[in-house]
Amino acid sequence: MVVPVIQNIAATGQTDTSMESLTLHLADLDVIREQNQVFENMAGYITAGGIVLANDGSQMYQFYDARVTSDAFDFYGVPPLLGRGLVPEDGKSGAPPVFVMSYQTWKRVFHEDAKILGKTLTVDGEPRTVVGVMPARFEAFGTQTNIWIPITRSRDTPRADGEFPAEVLARLKPGVTMETASADLEVIVKRLALLHPDDFPKHFRTRVVSAVDFFMTPQKGWDGVSSDLKHLLYNMLAAAAILLLIACSNVANLLLARATVREKEMAVRSALGATRDRLVRQLLAESSVLAAAACAVGCLFAWVGTKFLPAFVPRTGDVASGGHIGGETGLGLNPQVLFFALGLTFLTTLICGLAPSLHVMRADLQPQLAGAGKGANGGFRHGKLRAGLVVAEVAFSIVLLIGTGLMMRSFFVLTRVDLGFNPKNVLLLYFMPPPSHDRTSSTQRFASPQGRAVLLGVVERLKALPGVIHVSIEDALPGYSPGRGLQVAVPGATHSEEAGLIACDENFLATLELRQIQGRWLSENEVRMAQYAGVINQRLAHDLFGDANPIGQQLQVKAFKSITLPPRDSDFQIVGVVGDMKNAGPQRPAMPMIFLPYTVRGGPAILLKTTVDPASLRNAVQEQIWAVNRDEIIGLASPLEDFLQRFAYSTPEFGLLICTPLASIALVLVMIGVFSVMAYTVSLQTRELGIRMALGAQQRSILQMILSQGARLLATGIVLGLFASYGLTRFLASQIWGVSATDPLTFTIVAALVVAVGLAACYMPALRATRVDPLVALRHE
């Protein structure tokens, strides 16, 4: 599946690297269907919000709908759970109005009513019949779509007034490459642009990208998102692979130690007549039991993990909430991944478990039968291999721990960024245009006298709600919306600056608790009378006026000069300066900002400052809004803290929640690996230690000798791990912020942690060595 995208080309000829989905009028979509040679199928869709009434008018719901071309369900090829999907006949003129419902809507709103099919509900003022329910996990044509409605020519006449261009999805024909498809589409779209120049940018290029790349990558306008989830998932896969290597090394180490102990046993069995095939079958059976038990426990842990993991996955909540994984997405045991893990577990266990028999097959039995100590010869032969496995474990764990440490430090820095405003106990409401206004933008709608009256009526009702202390009208998403990038300058000056613009009212300062630096905030009279007064932030004040006092100065917004609609004046008087507030994400510095009365430039959003949990007021707020206008659609009703959490912190937090357990398990495995090797080494050296102590060696020197052996293994692994980390952490660049990928503090802390854990693992075997009785040790066999 691919997405046709469009990219602007600047006057310099440079192509914008950001991508926007290609939106087409239905007539243009028909032209591409007919003329293209590369697409197997195409579908168009328009996403919006809508009001749905029960058939008796007793219940009102707000749903997110997608108006789709009538063949859209054939495009996906997913059969419905109940009833039928949309068919081409549903898009013909005069066809009965129908719609299809999502599984989650059917389950949560209509309580899985099997009799829902055939019922008529009023959707955006038009009676429509429910003809189908899609299965769980089906999510298409828009984020968290509740219902799908066919686009009909009778209602959505191509190029009629108020038609909303549709976004496009396509499937390539077998064997067609992205480059070929892009070239074919470019020719057709350029031809359409010549016929309808107002529908396309002046200079642009068209190409196709895979749907995965498009929807999993932050797009233009939201590039402040902390990280790309696709890259994060790749890094999670790499972390899991590293842990798998550590686990395999540990299993191999333990089984090799066990194999060394049993070499004499295998030699005795062989000398008594056991064939090599019989020995192999015996060890194969033992290893199979061990591997089967390990796989069963591992599958249990994996199943339990998939039940709890979804709670931590960053998801899309409301429209524009900034999540990356849809609400219908399910997580479970992937058969391919599960079988790969099970196969690798069996392979590692069987190979290492068969080591004794493989050695017997090619070894001389006489030295084993005559060996005085357990595994005497095997200790030397396998010692280097086991030491090498421990070094590998330590190196791998260093890489995993440093990656986790960098993400931890980055998240710590990110969550402590001063946003310049207080999002606590703030409910954000964002309005969407109702269908009765032909999807005209909310800013234009609320700029009209009728729209202004609706907006003020809503505000008065919201102010009366218990627990609400401030209500502010504005047109931005605090923390993530810089407003429009406009050129502003002091009248008569040649120097200008690009600044964002937020249209707001007199309560905006108190609602977000902005810091007043100089002057004052906008007054109620200035807002009501649409006076040309403005407040700027510190950065704009410094950029335009330096150390001079900006209060009382005039500020010119150059873009206003070219606007034919009011306001015609472009000069505003600066009445105050406020502290900088983050307006493009917490990772980016605050950009220059100007705050003007919303009566000058509209304002489709409302902020409520509350003394209670803002989420608890959602239903009450919606009721008050519908009491003023039953057609009003709330595109977003979310506590501002939750919005920022989903948009700024959820993805790095998810990565940290996954990496931390993996790194912790890796550290435990390293401790087990080091302990097992050192304990086994001490057991092989029991006779040697007894002789040393009988000749006068002190316990302290014995302790130092054993610890030095472990320290050499640790040092080798740490050095290798640090070098590997230095080269690999650059792949974490998209997941960390505020710290360097080669942060010395993180590298130092991780190395010290591994040293402490490793030496602790060495200490018990070393302590045991100091307590060896020389007489017992000299008789040791």
Side-chain angles (χ1 to χ4, degrees), residues 215-294:
F215 290 114
M216 294 288 283
T217 303
Q219 301 304 321
K220 185 176 181 179
W222 300 108
D223 53 1
V225 175
S226 58
S227 61
D228 181 356
L229 185 60
K230 183 177 73 171
H231 292 160
L232 174 62
L233 294 177
Y234 282 136
N235 289 334
M236 296 301 100
L237 179 62
I242 291 174
L243 182 62
L244 183 63
L245 291 174
I246 295 173
C248 289
S249 299
N250 214 14
V251 171
N253 216 334
L254 294 173
L255 292 180
L256 282 174
R258 183 170 177 264
T260 304
V261 175
R262 300 188 67 186
E263 281 184 350
K264 187 171 183 178
E265 174 194 343
M266 294 297 107
V268 172
R269 288 178 180 273
S270 181
L272 294 176
T275 63
R276 293 176 177 178
D277 291 342
R278 185 182 182 92
L279 293 176
V280 170
R281 287 198 301 271
Q282 175 191 339
L283 293 172
L284 187 63
E286 293 175 358
S287 298
S288 298
V289 171
L290 179 62

XYZ file of all heavy atoms in Angstrom, residues 215-294:
597
model
N 2.878 6.955 7.450
C 2.098 7.084 8.677
C 2.936 6.889 9.936
O 2.517 7.282 11.021
C 0.941 6.081 8.676
C -0.134 6.421 7.674
C -0.367 5.605 6.588
C -0.881 7.567 7.817
C -1.342 5.918 5.660
C -1.864 7.893 6.886
C -2.095 7.066 5.804
N 4.113 6.272 9.818
C 4.953 6.055 10.993
C 6.007 7.131 11.159
O 6.816 7.069 12.077
C 5.641 4.692 10.909
C 4.703 3.515 10.985
S 4.028 3.276 12.628
C 5.438 2.532 13.442
N 6.005 8.143 10.284
C 6.999 9.204 10.361
C 6.300 10.515 10.654
O 5.291 10.826 10.015
C 7.779 9.316 9.034
O 8.372 8.058 8.737
C 8.857 10.381 9.128
N 6.797 11.324 11.601
C 6.193 12.630 11.864
C 6.175 13.480 10.602
O 7.173 13.583 9.897
C 7.098 13.245 12.936
C 7.773 12.079 13.568
C 7.939 11.052 12.479
N 5.020 14.092 10.324
C 4.875 14.862 9.105
C 5.039 16.354 9.369
O 5.174 16.810 10.489
C 3.503 14.584 8.477
C 3.279 13.117 8.151
C 4.344 12.547 7.244
O 4.806 13.207 6.322
N 4.758 11.328 7.504
N 4.958 17.101 8.309
C 5.127 18.547 8.394
C 4.110 19.131 9.360
O 2.947 18.803 9.330
C 4.933 19.170 7.013
C 5.206 20.668 6.998
C 5.104 21.201 5.587
C 5.403 22.687 5.560
N 5.337 23.268 4.224
N 4.575 19.975 10.212
C 3.715 20.592 11.194
C 3.807 19.929 12.548
O 3.439 20.495 13.551
N 4.290 18.712 12.589
C 4.398 18.005 13.874
C 5.789 17.417 14.039
O 5.973 16.397 14.687
C 3.361 16.886 13.946
C 1.975 17.404 13.831
C 1.129 17.277 12.772
C 1.252 18.164 14.807
N -0.053 17.898 13.030
C -0.007 18.446 14.262
C 1.567 18.624 16.079
C -0.960 19.174 14.953
C 0.616 19.346 16.760
C -0.624 19.623 16.203
N 6.793 18.015 13.423
C 8.136 17.462 13.513
C 8.779 17.732 14.857
O 9.923 17.375 15.082
C 9.031 17.985 12.388
C 9.039 19.508 12.312
O 8.356 20.138 13.138
O 9.715 20.050 11.436
N 8.042 18.325 15.786
C 8.553 18.462 17.137
C 8.366 17.212 17.953
O 8.779 17.147 19.094
N 7.708 16.187 17.398
C 7.528 14.941 18.123
C 8.885 14.404 18.514
O 9.828 14.407 17.734
C 6.769 13.917 17.248
C 6.676 12.576 17.933
C 5.373 14.431 16.937
N 8.986 13.878 19.753
C 10.282 13.562 20.329
C 11.062 12.526 19.549
O 12.269 12.546 19.541
C 10.086 13.094 21.767
O 9.228 11.981 21.792
N 10.408 11.591 18.918
C 11.144 10.594 18.169
C 10.228 9.891 17.200
O 9.020 9.948 17.295
C 11.787 9.574 19.113
O 10.782 8.916 19.859
N 10.850 9.222 16.261
C 10.121 8.468 15.265
C 9.903 7.070 15.802
O 10.838 6.344 16.096
C 10.952 8.451 13.975
C 10.267 7.692 12.857
O 9.188 7.119 13.076
O 10.830 7.665 11.766
N 8.624 6.677 15.906
C 8.311 5.396 16.518
C 8.875 4.227 15.722
O 9.278 3.220 16.286
C 6.786 5.250 16.665
C 6.305 4.000 17.404
C 6.844 3.974 18.820
C 4.794 3.924 17.415
N 8.937 4.368 14.411
C 9.479 3.281 13.601
C 10.929 3.017 13.958
O 11.340 1.861 14.146
C 9.343 3.615 12.107
C 9.819 2.489 11.196
C 9.597 2.832 9.746
C 10.568 3.881 9.270
N 10.498 4.077 7.804
N 11.724 4.073 14.081
C 13.119 3.903 14.473
C 13.216 3.346 15.894
O 14.107 2.552 16.195
C 13.859 5.242 14.383
C 14.025 5.730 12.972
N 14.283 7.041 12.666
C 13.947 5.071 11.796
C 14.383 7.176 11.349
N 14.173 5.996 10.807
N 12.304 3.786 16.759
C 12.301 3.277 18.121
C 12.068 1.772 18.128
O 12.732 1.027 18.851
C 11.231 3.984 18.952
C 11.012 3.447 20.373
C 12.274 3.603 21.212
C 9.845 4.156 21.041
N 11.131 1.302 17.316
C 10.848 -0.129 17.275
C 12.043 -0.917 16.739
O 12.331 -2.025 17.206
C 9.611 -0.387 16.412
C 8.294 0.171 16.981
C 7.151 -0.092 16.006
C 7.986 -0.446 18.331
N 12.742 -0.346 15.772
C 13.951 -1.009 15.277
C 15.001 -1.106 16.381
O 15.686 -2.131 16.526
C 14.521 -0.254 14.072
C 13.789 -0.509 12.783
C 13.462 0.524 11.913
C 13.412 -1.799 12.413
C 12.789 0.294 10.724
C 12.740 -2.037 11.224
C 12.430 -0.991 10.392
O 11.755 -1.230 9.230
N 15.126 -0.036 17.158
C 16.088 -0.061 18.263
C 15.672 -1.054 19.340
O 16.512 -1.702 19.965
C 16.232 1.341 18.863
C 16.972 2.287 17.937
O 17.773 1.861 17.115
N 16.683 3.572 18.043
N 14.346 -1.182 19.571
C 13.864 -2.177 20.528
C 14.202 -3.592 20.039
O 14.577 -4.461 20.826
C 12.354 -2.061 20.701
C 11.861 -0.757 21.309
S 12.523 -0.420 22.954
C 13.839 0.744 22.546
N 14.066 -3.806 18.728
C 14.414 -5.106 18.162
C 15.904 -5.391 18.341
O 16.301 -6.512 18.687
C 14.047 -5.134 16.671
C 14.366 -6.426 15.917
C 13.586 -7.598 16.515
C 14.024 -6.274 14.429
N 16.732 -4.372 18.144
C 18.176 -4.542 18.344
C 18.482 -4.849 19.805
O 19.330 -5.707 20.110
C 18.918 -3.286 17.891
N 17.794 -4.169 20.733
C 18.017 -4.427 22.158
C 17.621 -5.852 22.519
O 18.322 -6.537 23.280
C 17.223 -3.429 22.997
N 16.497 -6.315 21.978
C 16.067 -7.692 22.249
C 17.064 -8.695 21.675
O 17.340 -9.732 22.284
C 14.680 -7.921 21.660
N 17.624 -8.380 20.489
C 18.616 -9.272 19.889
C 19.872 -9.341 20.743
O 20.471 -10.425 20.916
C 18.949 -8.797 18.475
N 20.297 -8.198 21.291
C 21.476 -8.191 22.165
C 21.216 -9.028 23.413
O 22.068 -9.811 23.845
C 21.845 -6.746 22.548
C 22.377 -5.997 21.319
C 22.884 -6.712 23.661
C 22.634 -4.528 21.563
N 20.024 -8.876 23.994
C 19.690 -9.673 25.168
C 19.663 -11.156 24.826
O 20.087 -12.001 25.628
C 18.333 -9.231 25.729
C 17.885 -9.954 27.005
C 18.868 -9.701 28.140
C 16.486 -9.509 27.415
N 19.183 -11.474 23.635
C 19.158 -12.869 23.203
C 20.572 -13.432 23.102
O 20.839 -14.573 23.521
C 18.443 -12.966 21.856
C 18.253 -14.373 21.281
C 17.377 -15.206 22.203
C 17.633 -14.287 19.893
N 21.503 -12.638 22.593
C 22.893 -13.076 22.507
C 23.497 -13.277 23.894
O 24.248 -14.233 24.128
C 23.712 -12.056 21.716
C 23.408 -11.956 20.216
C 24.181 -10.803 19.597
C 23.746 -13.264 19.509
N 23.153 -12.370 24.819
C 23.648 -12.521 26.191
C 23.110 -13.804 26.810
O 23.845 -14.561 27.454
C 23.253 -11.299 27.038
C 23.954 -10.039 26.519
C 23.600 -11.517 28.504
C 23.492 -8.770 27.196
N 21.811 -14.046 26.614
C 21.201 -15.250 27.172
C 21.816 -16.505 26.568
O 22.100 -17.482 27.280
C 19.689 -15.229 26.929
N 22.029 -16.495 25.248
C 22.648 -17.658 24.599
C 24.067 -17.883 25.119
O 24.474 -19.033 25.352
C 22.666 -17.454 23.084
S 21.033 -17.562 22.310
N 24.809 -16.796 25.312
C 26.161 -16.931 25.851
C 26.126 -17.524 27.252
O 26.966 -18.373 27.607
C 26.853 -15.566 25.877
O 26.957 -15.027 24.591
N 25.151 -17.090 28.035
C 25.054 -17.587 29.402
C 24.697 -19.072 29.440
O 25.276 -19.850 30.200
C 23.998 -16.773 30.161
C 24.362 -16.597 31.613
O 25.493 -16.840 32.014
N 23.415 -16.174 32.408
N 23.720 -19.444 28.612
C 23.338 -20.859 28.544
C 24.515 -21.691 28.075
O 24.804 -22.762 28.639
C 22.127 -21.029 27.600
C 21.867 -22.512 27.338
C 20.891 -20.396 28.206
N 25.188 -21.209 27.047
C 26.348 -21.951 26.547
C 27.410 -22.091 27.627
O 28.019 -23.170 27.787
C 26.924 -21.243 25.325
N 27.641 -21.045 28.386
C 28.647 -21.079 29.440
C 28.305 -22.101 30.513
O 29.142 -22.911 30.927
C 28.762 -19.687 30.070
C 30.189 -19.370 30.458
O 30.988 -20.262 30.715
N 30.504 -18.089 30.499
N 27.053 -22.068 30.966
C 26.641 -22.992 32.018
C 26.699 -24.442 31.545
O 27.154 -25.338 32.277
C 25.226 -22.641 32.488
C 25.073 -21.288 33.201
C 23.608 -20.994 33.462
C 25.847 -21.276 34.506
N 26.247 -24.678 30.309
C 26.237 -26.052 29.805
C 27.641 -26.544 29.480
O 27.926 -27.744 29.613
C 25.334 -26.147 28.579
C 23.838 -25.958 28.862
C 23.033 -26.079 27.579
C 23.339 -26.971 29.883
N 28.510 -25.647 29.063
C 29.892 -26.054 28.827
C 30.578 -26.423 30.135
O 31.381 -27.372 30.198
C 30.662 -24.942 28.125
C 30.411 -24.800 26.621
C 31.115 -23.572 26.080
C 30.855 -26.045 25.875
N 30.285 -25.666 31.199
C 30.833 -26.014 32.505
C 30.330 -27.388 32.935
O 31.082 -28.221 33.459
C 30.449 -24.963 33.529
N 29.043 -27.613 32.719
C 28.459 -28.925 33.052
C 29.079 -30.021 32.183
O 29.329 -31.151 32.647
C 26.952 -28.859 32.829
C 26.195 -30.121 33.204
C 24.693 -29.849 33.182
N 23.926 -31.037 33.475
C 23.404 -31.844 32.576
N 23.591 -31.583 31.286
N 22.710 -32.913 32.919
N 29.357 -29.694 30.914
C 29.965 -30.672 30.017
C 31.363 -31.048 30.484
O 31.776 -32.209 30.423
C 30.019 -30.101 28.602
N 32.118 -30.075 30.964
C 33.466 -30.350 31.448
C 33.440 -31.318 32.616
O 34.264 -32.237 32.716
C 34.142 -29.035 31.852
O 34.120 -28.136 30.743
C 35.571 -29.274 32.273
N 32.474 -31.093 33.518
C 32.360 -31.980 34.677
C 32.040 -33.404 34.250
O 32.514 -34.376 34.858
C 31.264 -31.437 35.631
C 31.032 -32.417 36.778
C 31.659 -30.075 36.170
N 31.265 -33.547 33.186
C 30.785 -34.884 32.791
C 31.685 -35.576 31.783
O 31.338 -36.664 31.304
C 29.382 -34.746 32.214
C 28.378 -34.161 33.194
C 26.983 -34.224 32.661
N 26.517 -35.598 32.536
C 25.335 -35.913 31.974
N 24.555 -34.975 31.496
N 24.969 -37.184 31.889
N 32.821 -34.968 31.423
C 33.690 -35.620 30.446
C 34.189 -36.969 30.956
O 34.240 -37.947 30.209
C 34.867 -34.704 30.098
C 34.502 -33.607 29.123
C 35.697 -32.779 28.724
O 36.756 -32.943 29.338
O 35.560 -31.959 27.790
N 34.545 -37.025 32.243
C 35.025 -38.306 32.789
C 33.903 -39.337 32.810
O 34.104 -40.517 32.515
C 35.581 -38.100 34.192
C 36.250 -39.343 34.764
C 36.958 -39.026 36.055
C 37.695 -40.270 36.569
N 38.449 -39.991 37.805
N 32.674 -38.850 33.146
C 31.517 -39.754 33.135
C 31.298 -40.326 31.742
O 31.048 -41.530 31.578
C 30.280 -38.996 33.597
C 28.995 -39.810 33.483
C 27.745 -38.958 33.611
O 27.842 -37.812 34.094
O 26.664 -39.436 33.194
N 31.396 -39.482 30.722
C 31.198 -39.945 29.353
C 32.282 -40.953 28.963
O 32.024 -41.921 28.253
C 31.212 -38.756 28.388
C 30.063 -37.783 28.562
S 28.442 -38.502 28.246
C 27.805 -38.617 29.935
N 33.507 -40.686 29.426
C 34.593 -41.604 29.114
C 34.357 -42.979 29.754
O 34.589 -44.022 29.139
C 35.911 -41.018 29.584
N 33.896 -42.986 31.024
C 33.606 -44.244 31.711
C 32.485 -44.986 30.998
O 32.555 -46.210 30.777
C 33.237 -43.977 33.180
C 32.752 -45.254 33.848
C 34.432 -43.413 33.929
N 31.410 -44.280 30.626
C 30.303 -44.927 29.921
C 30.770 -45.531 28.603
O 30.378 -46.637 28.228
C 29.191 -43.914 29.648
C 28.405 -43.494 30.887
C 27.353 -42.446 30.528
N 26.584 -42.020 31.682
C 25.483 -42.625 32.123
N 25.038 -43.702 31.491
N 24.847 -42.174 33.176
N 31.636 -44.782 27.907
C 32.140 -45.288 26.641
C 33.020 -46.504 26.840
O 32.955 -47.478 26.094
C 32.916 -44.181 25.926
O 33.412 -44.628 24.683
N 33.848 -46.478 27.910
C 34.717 -47.620 28.185
C 33.931 -48.868 28.578
O 34.364 -49.992 28.338
C 35.695 -47.252 29.295
N 32.753 -48.677 29.181
C 31.904 -49.807 29.586
C 31.033 -50.325 28.457
O 30.203 -51.219 28.677
C 31.029 -49.399 30.773
C 31.792 -49.110 32.077
C 30.838 -48.631 33.151
C 32.551 -50.357 32.542
N 31.167 -49.729 27.250
C 30.463 -50.276 26.096
C 29.389 -49.408 25.500
O 28.763 -49.796 24.508
N 29.156 -48.255 26.077
C 28.131 -47.380 25.504
C 28.614 -46.853 24.163
O 29.727 -46.347 24.046
C 27.835 -46.218 26.444
N 27.773 -47.012 23.156
C 28.141 -46.499 21.842
C 27.998 -44.985 21.827
O 27.303 -44.390 22.657
C 27.247 -47.094 20.750
O 25.892 -46.679 20.978
C 27.316 -48.621 20.778
N 28.654 -44.391 20.847
C 28.574 -42.938 20.753
C 27.151 -42.484 20.426
O 26.697 -41.448 20.902
C 29.565 -42.439 19.708
C 31.007 -42.664 20.145
C 31.999 -42.271 19.097
N 33.368 -42.438 19.580
C 34.455 -42.207 18.850
N 34.321 -41.804 17.602
N 35.653 -42.375 19.369
N 26.451 -43.271 19.594
C 25.060 -42.925 19.290
C 24.211 -42.936 20.549
O 23.325 -42.098 20.727
C 24.485 -43.903 18.268
C 25.120 -43.740 16.898
O 25.729 -42.674 16.667
O 24.989 -44.652 16.064
N 24.469 -43.908 21.422
C 23.702 -43.986 22.658
C 23.993 -42.782 23.561
O 23.093 -42.222 24.194
C 24.043 -45.288 23.390
C 23.198 -45.526 24.637
C 23.610 -46.805 25.335
N 22.770 -47.054 26.488
C 21.653 -47.784 26.460
N 21.244 -48.302 25.304
N 20.953 -47.969 27.556
N 25.264 -42.397 23.609
C 25.622 -41.220 24.403
C 24.953 -39.958 23.850
O 24.448 -39.096 24.600
C 27.143 -41.032 24.425
C 27.961 -42.104 25.153
C 29.450 -41.818 25.003
C 27.578 -42.160 26.620
N 24.957 -39.837 22.531
C 24.324 -38.682 21.909
C 22.832 -38.663 22.220
O 22.256 -37.613 22.542
C 24.571 -38.680 20.391
C 23.715 -37.624 19.701
C 26.049 -38.430 20.094
N 22.180 -39.839 22.121
C 20.740 -39.888 22.397
C 20.443 -39.533 23.845
O 19.461 -38.841 24.144
C 20.200 -41.286 22.077
C 20.095 -41.585 20.602
C 19.180 -42.764 20.354
N 19.642 -43.976 21.031
C 20.486 -44.860 20.492
N 20.966 -44.651 19.272
N 20.853 -45.929 21.168
N 21.301 -39.998 24.763
C 21.083 -39.693 26.181
C 21.188 -38.189 26.429
O 20.314 -37.575 27.063
C 22.115 -40.425 27.044
C 22.016 -40.043 28.527
C 23.184 -40.559 29.347
O 23.854 -41.503 28.921
N 23.424 -39.965 30.493
N 22.273 -37.579 25.916
C 22.451 -36.146 26.122
C 21.411 -35.331 25.364
O 20.988 -34.264 25.819
C 23.859 -35.740 25.691
C 24.984 -36.318 26.567
C 26.331 -36.021 25.950
C 24.905 -35.758 27.970
N 20.986 -35.854 24.200
C 19.952 -35.173 23.434
C 18.641 -35.151 24.213
O 17.941 -34.145 24.243
C 19.768 -35.869 22.086
C 18.832 -35.186 21.091
C 19.375 -33.827 20.704
C 18.650 -36.050 19.851
N 18.329 -36.267 24.848
C 17.103 -36.319 25.647
C 17.175 -35.363 26.836
O 16.215 -34.650 27.141
C 16.875 -37.760 26.131
N 18.346 -35.350 27.521
C 18.497 -34.446 28.662
C 18.379 -32.980 28.232
O 17.690 -32.176 28.877
C 19.852 -34.684 29.324
C 19.991 -36.045 29.986
C 21.388 -36.279 30.512
O 22.244 -35.374 30.320
O 21.630 -37.328 31.114
N 19.038 -32.648 27.120
C 18.999 -31.262 26.637
C 17.609 -30.880 26.150
O 17.161 -29.738 26.313
C 20.009 -31.070 25.504
O 21.322 -31.306 25.963
N 16.894 -31.846 25.557
C 15.547 -31.568 25.064
C 14.603 -31.242 26.203
O 13.760 -30.348 26.091
C 15.016 -32.766 24.263
O 15.812 -33.002 23.131
N 14.749 -31.974 27.310
C 13.905 -31.689 28.479
C 14.194 -30.279 29.004
O 13.277 -29.507 29.311
C 14.139 -32.741 29.579
C 13.429 -32.335 30.870
C 13.650 -34.105 29.114
N 15.477 -29.943 29.090
C 15.865 -28.606 29.555
C 15.342 -27.527 28.609
O 14.781 -26.507 29.036
C 17.388 -28.530 29.670
C 17.965 -27.184 30.128
C 17.477 -26.841 31.530
C 19.491 -27.232 30.100
N 15.513 -27.751 27.297
C 15.064 -26.764 26.319
C 13.543 -26.614 26.334
O 13.011 -25.499 26.244
C 15.550 -27.155 24.925
N 12.824 -27.747 26.446
C 11.363 -27.683 26.463
C 10.860 -26.917 27.680
O 9.924 -26.115 27.586
C 10.786 -29.096 26.431
N 11.464 -27.184 28.821
C 11.053 -26.459 30.035
C 11.318 -24.970 29.896
O 10.479 -24.131 30.258
C 11.798 -27.023 31.243
N 12.485 -24.624 29.354
C 12.819 -23.213 29.173
C 11.858 -22.540 28.189
O 11.404 -21.410 28.415
C 14.260 -23.081 28.677
